[in-house]
Amino acid sequence: MKVRYLHTMVRVKDLDASMAFYQLLGLTETRRIENDKGRFTLVFLAPPGQEECPVELTYNWDGDDGLPSDSRHFGHLAYGVENIYDMCDSLMKAGVTINRPPRDGHMAFVRSPDNISVELLQIGESLPPAEPWASMPNTGHW
């Protein structure tokens, strides 16, 4: 089963200040997503020539008063997988809890033994909805 590193996500309280910091490190913006419905902005920054290894800055438009004291800066690791259903099935058989099942055939979340949130994303097009995933509820948080 192929796995591909995608990105690391961190939550930020001040998007402009955070971007300026990462730009001082030599990272440049490679992609931006503005989500009006979810009221957040995602900015991906990477070193030149390493665009495949970005850091994702997640900025919540309505603020995030818990930052920086609530340890929510670090969000998750993200990996692309060949078949999200096969990967989740393999993880479940090994005793891993699927915190957010891939109901949409595209995205799932699990946690490492150290409670690190890991996002799994289907490489390419989403798979058609399938059971048991389509009706599986969330477990815990991610």
Side-chain angles (χ1 to χ4, degrees):
M1 228 180 298
K2 290 184 184 177
V3 174
R4 181 174 183 258
Y5 171 80
L6 295 178
H7 64 263
T8 298
M9 183 273 268
V10 292
R11 287 179 178 82
V12 299
K13 189 167 187 150
D14 181 331
L15 183 59
D16 292 332
S18 294
M19 287 185 61
F21 170 78
Y22 287 101
Q23 288 167 343
L24 286 172
L25 295 176
L27 280 64
T28 59
E29 184 174 333
T30 60
R31 184 166 53 125
R32 180 182 290 249
I33 298 169
E34 304 278 345
N35 187 305
D36 293 330
K37 184 177 178 184
R39 303 193 46 75
F40 63 85
T41 300
L42 307 178
V43 178
F44 294 82
L45 300 115
Q50 297 180 49
E51 289 76 15
E52 72 282 3
C53 299
V55 61
E56 172 193 325
L57 305 183
T58 297
Y59 172 71
N60 293 312
W61 299 354
D62 298 323
D64 200 337
D65 293 334
L67 295 177
S69 64
D70 73 353
S71 301
R72 290 186 52 230
H73 283 95
F74 175 76
H76 60 260
L77 298 174
Y79 292 94
V81 298
E82 271 187 314
N83 185 304
I84 197 158
Y85 296 146
D86 289 348
M87 176 61 79
C88 288
D89 185 58
S90 176
L91 291 169
M92 275 184 32
K93 287 177 178 170
V96 174
T97 299
I98 308 300
N99 300 101
R100 194 278 192 193
R103 290 182 291 273
D104 54 5
H106 181 72
M107 177 180 67
F109 277 89
V110 297
R111 287 201 171 256
S112 77
D114 297 305
N115 211 28
I116 302 293
S117 184
V118 178
E119 179 181 27
L120 304 172
L121 292 167
Q122 174 66 39
I123 295 171
E125 296 296 317
S126 298
L127 300 179
E131 293 298 340
W133 315 109
S135 60
M136 186 180 288
N138 293 339
T139 301
H141 64 282
W142 57 88

